[in-house]
């Protein structure tokens, strides 16, 4: 019946077909007519959302008409198919129903003569002449932010432009949910329901903190600030990128990009993203740690207000102090690193105060509970919190330097009391310790000289008594390393990895070593370095490169590894001549070796290490071509460092990075699994994922693998150099497992125990992989440019390939 009606309607009312993307004065657009942007991306017309029969004037994507990005009369539905949009002579847009009363008007405050209504390629509906507009839809955001549209909020409570959700799928009228900039306290963006905050998304301190950042144009935003506060944010418009940010009516802020076929959408992220994103999940003075179970903890020096509630995971009651603050008692500060700042409910911000002044000021005010330097770029600002600390979470992302905060606690709660000591105590301690140091220094010097005399060779192995205190690893001295590497000469440079260059070295006894000269790790002291090294040195597995020792002198920090005569895997599989040396059985052994090494790192070692930069150039081969993972544990070492100027913070490599890691900075063992999947497919096919060019149809190696898997043509992935010497079932399994590892959704990727099992089990029945999703294309021309005000710069990507 409905269908018949629609058909009749189409037949009986002649459709005004617009050859253009515009409408001029006195022209009308009736229900059924469309205005189409020149790019053929957007359409304007009347529609009915969901199962509703009401009509609304809206803009949607031509290829996906169910995705409506803007609605004119969202509060004033039209019943029946007789709505008409008219552009008045003065440039007012008016929607009427059957020449009846006005249902909606754009209420343009200025008028124009000879106005034109146009749907621009950006999806902006504008009224004006040439490029001066008297009205534009981008000034009236609905639930969707398109590139080019600005969201803004003046400082204080001024007018703002923000996203508001629909009420439901059938009703585009303004729902309770909004996404907006908030400028009370530190600038932040929030998802709110009415006045209640649901999620503080990011805060602004000159950069966005706490949210994925990337140079990718689908993520880039431009901002406007006023006195350090965030006033507006927009995603710049490029005609090649179609992205949208939608506040959906179920409470999620979703960021989508259009797929490359331009007929569907890829969800890049939805916020709130995890339990810890929820506002104040752990109650006051609680901190949410998503990788812990349970996720909520009290800050140190605090305990649950109600143990019984916390024991059933009801955390909202929060935490109270073990010892209440009391200005009479000696108090100090506990530094908590890498957390989301508490919400600025009761705070004071001073932008002209050093850290020490800030600390003293906080200490002198009995009500001050914490302080921090929120603009950690210049260290001269001071934020103080009073009362309870609300909505803290541990940041797990690598999205740039994460804030640290100093929480006020009684001195008895501090391990490292030095941090919170009063000046007087410091002086006393300093005097005493100087004396002690002098005495100790003389003693140590004696011991040191003895050792030096004893040791004539190149390795200084501290005797076990000393080692217990110092290093459990042989310590090389700089002179030895310099001699071995010919003062780090060019000829001895054998690789350039994320964490620094690698040199080959010859010790005088004829032993060959590889020396990794660490790029400077800002803020990491010798002690921390040694602690880390001691941990890493305990990681031993036959598929990991063995660490022989280290060298720490002056500015230099180096790791000494066994030298791998066959260098790295990429020298073989991507080399025209050498690839033939790796036949199938060797490759399969290598894949199994990598998998076992990774299983050990992820699960079997004590440290549960996430590698974070797995790639073929980090897989070294010994004289028997056994695979050994290198650079493990380094990511962990760099991670420990949360201070500012990290010029060499390197976290991944194009082509191997999992999407959630590349865009969201979220890493987990699942991001390593992704990289492993890419490697497996590269080893099988002998093709690089990055820079993959297929003569016909596939965009990259991963997509090709998925297609072949789906169609049971796994064998076509093979490197042609195997000739006939391969085991069909092994090749198939590798392609299938590889494809499972590169699933777009991290949860769908298998864990290492399953990977090893699947690879090694004959006729294992494997799940069918889904289509891999979005990929970083290293050759995107945008990734190199650097617009001011972009959120980029925090995720660093290695684009270096060892040669
Ligand atoms: C629009 O219509 C009004 C009244 O019907 C008429 O006076 C005016 O000339 C028209 N303008 C144009 C640009 O056609
Ligand atoms: C235009 O003005 C009328 C009358 O003041 C008002 O009812 C209506 O909501 C306004 N329309 C818009 C889109 O603001
Ligand atoms: C708009 O631009 C066109 C071409 O640039 C010009 O011919 C026309 O006069 C302009 N119209 C107005 C109203 O400025
Ligand atoms: C530090 O940064 C904040 C915010 O960007 C700014 O307001 C303040 O003036 C800066 N201070 C100095 C000394 O540069
Ligand atoms: C809103 O977004 C969430 C997260 O992506 C999704 O699960 C949910 O289905 C969305 N709701 C609607 C109505 O689109
Ligand atoms: C604080 O109190 C809780 C429980 O009362 C206790 O578990 C915790 O160890 C105390 N913290 C300190 C640092 O004393
Ligand atoms: C910051 O403080 C210093 C010393 O307290 C003072 O000399 C300077 O004028 C202040 N700057 C601003 C911008 O208030
Ligand atoms: C601390 O807070 C109490 C109660 O809120 C108030 O009476 C007192 O004046 C405050 N002290 C300072 C130094 O601000």
């Amino acid at each position: 019946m409905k269908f018949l009606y629609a058909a009749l309607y189409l037949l009986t009312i002649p459709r005004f077909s617009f050859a253009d993307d515009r409408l001029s004065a006195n022209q009308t657009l009736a229900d059924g007519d469309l205005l189409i942007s020149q790019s053929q991306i957007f359409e304007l017309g009347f529609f009915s959302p969901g199962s509703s029969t009401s009509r609304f004037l809206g803009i949607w994507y031509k290829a996906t008409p169910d995705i409506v990005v803007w609605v004119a009369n969202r509060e004033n539905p039209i019943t029946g198919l007789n709505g008409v949009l008219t552009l008045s002579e003065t440039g007012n847009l008016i929607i009427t129903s059957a020449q009846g009363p006005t249902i909606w008007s754009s209420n343009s405050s200025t008028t124009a003569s000879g106005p034109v209504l146009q749907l621009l390629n950006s999806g902006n509906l504008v009224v004006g002449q040439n490029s001066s507009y008297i009205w534009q839809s981008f000034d009236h955001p609905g639930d969707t932010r398109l590139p080019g549209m600005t969201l803004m909020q003046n400082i204080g409570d001024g007018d703002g432009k923000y996203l508001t959700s629909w009420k439901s799928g059938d009703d585009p009228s303004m729902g309770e949910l909004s996404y907006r900039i908030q400028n009370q306290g530190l600038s932040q963006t929030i998802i709110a329901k009415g006045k209640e905050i649901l999620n503080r998304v990011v805060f602004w301190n000159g950069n966005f903190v706490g949210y994925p950042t990337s140079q990718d144009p689908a993520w880039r935003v431009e901002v406007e600030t006023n006195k350090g506060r965030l006033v507006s944010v927009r995603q710049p418009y490029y005609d090649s990128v179609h992205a949208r940010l939608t506040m959906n009516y179920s409470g999620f802020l979703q960021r989508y990009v259009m797929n490359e076929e331009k007929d569907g959408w890829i969800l890049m992220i939805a916020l709130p993203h995890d339990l810890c994103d929820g506002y104040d999940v752990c109650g006051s003075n609680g901190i949410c740690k998503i990788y812990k179970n349970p996720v909520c903890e009290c800050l140190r020096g605090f305990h649950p207000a109600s143990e019984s509630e916390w024991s059933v995971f009801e955390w909202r009651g929060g935490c109270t102090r073990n010892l209440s603050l009391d200005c009479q008692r000696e108090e100090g500060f506990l530094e908590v690193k890498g957390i989301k700042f508490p919400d600025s409910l009761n705070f004071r911000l001073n932008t002209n105060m050093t850290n020490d002044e800030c600390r003293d000021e906080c200490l002198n005010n009995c009500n001050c509970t914490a302080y921090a330097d929120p603009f950690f770029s210049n260290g001269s600002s001071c934020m103080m919190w009073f009362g309870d600390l609300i909505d803290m979470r541990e940041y797990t992302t690598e999205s740039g330097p994460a804030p640290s905060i100093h929480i006020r606690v009684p001195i008895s709660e501090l391990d490292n009391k030095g941090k919170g000591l009063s000046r007087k105590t410091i002086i006393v301690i300093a005097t005493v310790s100087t004396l002690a140091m002098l005495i100790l220094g003389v003693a140590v010097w004696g011991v040191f000289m003895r050792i030096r005399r004893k040791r004539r060779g190149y390795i200084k192995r501290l005797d076990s008594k000393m080692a217990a205190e110092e290093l459990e690893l042989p310590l090389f001295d700089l002179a030895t390393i310099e001699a071995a590497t010919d003062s780090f000469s060019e000829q001895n440079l054998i690789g350039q990895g994320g964490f620094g260059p690698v040199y080959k070295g010859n010790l005088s006894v004829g032993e060959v070593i590889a020396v990794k000269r660490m790029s400077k790790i800002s803020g990491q002291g010798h002690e921390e370095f040694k602690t880390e090294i001691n941990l890493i040195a305990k990681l031993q597995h036959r598929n990991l490169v063995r660490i022989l020792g280290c060298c720490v002198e002056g500015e230099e920090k180096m790791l000494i590894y066994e030298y791998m005569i066959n260098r790295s895997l990429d020298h073989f599989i991507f080399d025209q001549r050498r690839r033939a040396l790796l036949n199938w059985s060797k490759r399969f052994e290598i894949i199994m070796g990598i998998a076992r090494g990774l299983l050990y790192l992820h699960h079997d070692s004590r440290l549960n290490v996430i590698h974070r930069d797995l790639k073929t150039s980090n897989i070294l081969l010994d004289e028997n071509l056994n695979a050994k993972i290198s650079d493990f544990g380094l990511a962990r070492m760099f991670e420990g460092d949360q201070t500012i100027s990290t010029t060499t913070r390197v976290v991944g490599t194009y082509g191997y990075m999992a999407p959630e890691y590349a865009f969201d900075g979220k890493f987990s063992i699942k991001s390593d699994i992704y990289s492993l999947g890419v490697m497996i497919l590269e080893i099988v096919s002998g093709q690089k994922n990055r820079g993959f060019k297929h003569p016909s149809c596939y965009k990259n190696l991963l997509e090709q693998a998925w297609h072949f898997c789906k169609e049971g043509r796994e064998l076509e992935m093979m490197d042609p150099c195997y000739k006939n010497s391969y085991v069909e079932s092994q090749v198939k399994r590798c392609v299938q497992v590889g494809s499972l590892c590169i699933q777009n959704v991290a949860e769908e990727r298998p864990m290492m125990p399953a990977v090893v099992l699947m690879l090694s089990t004959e006729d294992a029945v494997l799940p069918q992989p889904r289509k891999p999703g979005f990929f970083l294309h290293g050759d995107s021309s945008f990734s190199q440019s650097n617009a001011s005000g972009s959120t980029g710069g925090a995720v660093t990507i290695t684009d270096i390939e060892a040669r």
Side-chain angles (χ1 to χ4, degrees), residues 116 221 244 691:
V116 174
V221 291
R244 61 191 168 91

Side-chain angles (χ1 to χ4, degrees), residues 300-303 307 322 413:
R300 210 155 93 211
F302 291 74
H303 62 270
E307 292 283 358
N322 286 6
E413 303 277 359

Side-chain angles (χ1 to χ4, degrees), residues 160-182:
K161 285 182 199 159
Y162 48 86
L163 302 184
T164 49
S165 69
W166 288 16
K167 276 213 173 92
S168 74
D170 298 339
D171 181 2
S173 65
M174 197 187 285
E176 276 187 296
L177 295 152
S178 63
Y179 172 65
R180 58 174 82 209
I181 299 170
Q182 195 190 44

Side-chain angles (χ1 to χ4, degrees), residues 598-630:
L598 200 56
L599 174 66
Y600 172 80
L601 284 178
H602 281 185
H603 301 279
D604 297 344
S605 71
R606 279 197 286 149
L607 299 180
N608 304 118
V609 172
I610 302 172
H611 188 296
R612 289 211 262 172
D613 198 12
L614 279 175
K615 52 181 167 182
T616 50
S617 59
N618 272 337
I619 305 299
L620 307 186
L621 299 175
D622 70 3
E623 63 278 12
N624 298 320
L625 298 174
N626 292 320
K628 304 214 171 203
I629 301 174
S630 72

Side-chain angles (χ1 to χ4, degrees), residues 113-114 129-131:
S113 57
Q129 293 157 318
N130 297 336
S131 57

Side-chain angles (χ1 to χ4, degrees), residues 168-169 246-256 267 269-272:
S168 74
T246 301
M247 182 70 240
N248 86 16
Y249 56 84
S250 20
F252 289 87
L253 185 69
Q254 296 174 304
R255 188 188 274 269
Y256 281 98
L267 179 63
I269 193 173
L271 296 166

Side-chain angles (χ1 to χ4, degrees), residues 380-397:
S380 65
S381 47
C382 171
M383 173 104 176
M384 283 177 267
W385 283 264
F386 301 91
D388 285 333
L389 304 170
I390 305 291
D391 191 36
M392 285 173 286
R393 73 168 290 172
E394 188 180 55
Y395 277 140
T396 52
T397 67

Side-chain angles (χ1 to χ4, degrees), residues 350-353 357:
N350 185 326
T351 50
N352 188 19
M353 215 185 236
E357 286 166 352

